Amino acid sequence: MPVKNRFAELLPEITAWRRDFHEHPELLFDVHRTAGKVAVLLREFGCDEVVEGIGRTGVVGVIKGKTDTKGRVIGLRADMDALPIHEATGVAYSSKTPGKMHACGHDGHTAMLLGAAKYLAETRNFDGTAVVIFQPAEEGGGGGREMVRDGMIERFGIQEVYGMHNMPGIPVGHFAIRPGAMMAAADQFEITVTGKGGHAAKPHDCIDTTLVAAHIVIALQSIASRNVDPLKQVVVSVCTFRTETEAHNVIPQTVLLRGTVRTMDHKVQDFVEARIKQIAEGTALAHGATAEVKYQHGYPVTMNASENTEYAAEVAREVSGQVDTDTPPLMGAEDFSFMLNERPGAYIFLGNGDTAMVHHPAYNFDDNAIPFGSSWYAGMVESRMPAA
Ligand SMILES: [Zn+2]
Ligand SMILES: [Zn+2]
């Protein structure tokens, strides 16, 4: 099963969908036009069931195989949302909405999965049920979590779930995957330091929150460098440092710090959370100030099940013969993790060639990747549920 010939024929049509999505980017859950078009197309293909409004604006299509002797159900997932970035690609089909663009290639993911759905609805050469999942709000909104909370997994009886993301820097047609942690858990923290504000010329009458917060920022860097096993992955980044005044002669009463924590395993995650609290509160106390820490868990680790990783790699091998099965994990996070927490499955990268990185204003999805991506999606269904 190399790239399926049908996808060479369908390429102009799939490319046209992709470029249409690219021209009309939508953010987070506000993907009404995109989701509407996805639903119309899925109905046109003859899907057995198309359900809109799952996880607010998610769409699910159900395609039954020629037979269903074993009750098998495989889920395939793509994301539909764009980013609040001003496009700088200069392509003819650039975003028509200033300040919004498909800078993560979700236009490509949606188009490739639509292509696979069209092929699967035409051929139905499998024994079981394929469920195609189009989620909103991957970029920080937790659209995948919302679809899971809406009961999607149970409602459609999904037993395994597979996702894909394009990746610049990997040649087009090449795949990359690894068993275990593929993407990090992304948490947020906020620290409010409270001291005693006052006149900057009388620091002895104040408790200088700026100085205390600066000590906390530096001390937090000891978590990664001194506390966590150097062979485990961890990122602690303080990204906001806000005093309540912009004056040059006022010691602020409070300072706000905000940042992100990226980890690959639960023990490290819990440990870092506890250390941030200890360090912030202890450092504040040492200076006579107080620190209040709020810590919020975000997207969990994207965890590829070993067996399913092998299935995904095997299909990729058949599609292009080019699969790296030991790609390094990334410290970015992925909302598909909520689906992988519910059912075994795997998440794979598909090369986007030598382009700007995702989330860059000059990034663009490479349409040459479409036949590979659509073939992989369709191949997962045919190989996991071979025709009876
Ligand atoms: Zn992204
Ligand atoms: Zn993305």
Side-chain angles (χ1 to χ4, degrees):
M1 185 191 63
V3 168
K4 293 178 186 299
N5 290 334
R6 183 71 180 117
F7 291 117
E9 293 162 22
L10 288 174
L11 183 56
E13 192 179 0
I14 301 174
T15 301
W17 299 333
R18 203 286 285 184
R19 295 184 178 191
D20 176 69
F21 293 135
H22 193 88
E23 273 188 320
H24 302 96
E26 298 175 298
L27 304 184
L28 294 167
F29 288 97
D30 195 20
V31 291
H32 300 283
R33 183 190 180 277
T34 310
K37 177 165 175 159
V38 165
V40 165
L41 285 169
L42 291 176
R43 287 193 183 103
E44 254 178 55
F45 303 158
C47 286
D48 296 281
E49 198 184 344
V50 178
V51 185
E52 296 174 76
I54 297 186
R56 290 157 69 177
T57 41
V59 183
V60 171
V62 176
I63 305 162
K64 292 184 173 147
K66 275 181 187 148
T67 52
D68 185 12
T69 63
K70 298 191 181 105
R72 299 270 292 133
V73 184
I74 299 293
L76 305 171
R77 171 273 202 177
D79 36 18
M80 299 186 285
D81 57 320
L83 283 159
I85 292 176
H86 195 84
E87 179 158 357
T89 60
V91 295
Y93 53 90
S94 286
S95 166
K96 288 188 165 154
T97 313
K100 294 183 191 175
M101 87 170 277
H102 268 292
C104 205
H106 300 183
D107 48 347
H109 305 161
T110 297
M112 290 190 293
L113 185 55
L114 281 170
K118 177 162 180 157
Y119 164 89
L120 290 169
E122 277 172 7
T123 52
R124 300 186 185 252
N125 197 24
F126 55 94
D127 179 41
T129 305
V131 176
V132 289
I133 303 162
F134 298 85
Q135 77 149 84
E138 194 289 318
E139 300 288 0
R145 176 179 51 209
E146 292 309 304
M147 291 186 88
V148 168
R149 275 186 186 158
D150 238 355
M152 174 186 75
I153 302 285
E154 296 78 16
R155 177 170 177 179
F156 298 98
I158 297 165
Q159 296 164 347
E160 293 173 24
V161 66
Y162 296 91
M164 181 181 2
H165 205 292
N166 77 93
M167 189 50 65
I170 298 174
V172 171
H174 290 221
F175 292 86
I177 194 168
R178 67 176 296 103
M182 181 87 168
M183 305 278 282
D187 298 340
Q188 297 177 11
F189 63 87
E190 191 175 285
I191 303 171
T192 307
V193 181
T194 305
K196 187 179 169 204
H199 200 295
K202 292 174 78 63
H204 56 290
D205 287 339
C206 304
I207 295 170
D208 185 356
T209 44
T210 306
L211 179 65
V212 177
H215 276 293
I216 291 173
V217 171
I218 291 168
L220 290 178
Q221 289 315 310
S222 66
I223 298 174
S225 66
R226 304 287 85 183
N227 298 151
V228 173
D229 180 341
L231 296 178
K232 304 245 179 193
Q233 300 97 334
V234 62
V235 172
V236 179
S237 292
V238 177
C239 304
T240 296
F241 189 119
R242 197 163 76 208
T243 62
E244 64 188 3
T245 170
E246 301 212 343
H248 61 270
N249 58 358
V250 176
I251 287 174
Q253 178 78 13
T254 64
V255 172
L256 177 77
L257 303 175
R258 276 201 191 114
T260 185
V261 172
R262 306 296 170 108
T263 51
M264 290 292 187
D265 102 29
H266 297 298
K267 277 190 195 151
V268 175
Q269 187 179 24
D270 291 345
F271 174 77
V272 172
E273 178 178 356
R275 277 303 283 155
I276 287 177
K277 286 187 178 154
Q278 282 172 349
I279 287 172
E281 290 168 6
T283 305
L285 184 68
H287 292 84
T290 59
E292 191 201 342
V293 181
K294 287 184 195 152
Y295 192 96
Q296 208 183 358
H297 289 240
Y299 291 175
V301 176
T302 302
M303 196 63 81
N304 280 345
S306 310
E307 256 177 70
N308 305 80
T309 303
E310 196 33 57
Y311 304 146
E314 189 49 39
V315 171
R317 230 171 260 130
E318 287 168 17
V319 169
S320 76
Q322 300 290 340
V323 189
D324 174 3
T325 52
D326 189 26
T327 193
L330 296 182
M331 298 312 280
E334 167 57 69
D335 192 19
F336 181 55
S337 50
F338 288 101
M339 297 183 200
L340 284 179
N341 273 1
E342 298 297 313
R343 292 293 181 270
Y347 177 77
I348 198 166
F349 291 135
L350 171 61
N352 199 57
D354 188 18
T355 62
M357 186 37 77
V358 291
H359 293 210
H360 187 278
Y363 165 85
N364 194 12
F365 178 82
D366 188 335
D367 293 318
N368 293 310
I370 288 172
F372 298 100
S374 290
S375 294
W376 180 81
Y377 272 131
M380 286 314 303
V381 168
E382 292 180 350
S383 81
R384 294 299 297 137
M385 302 185 290

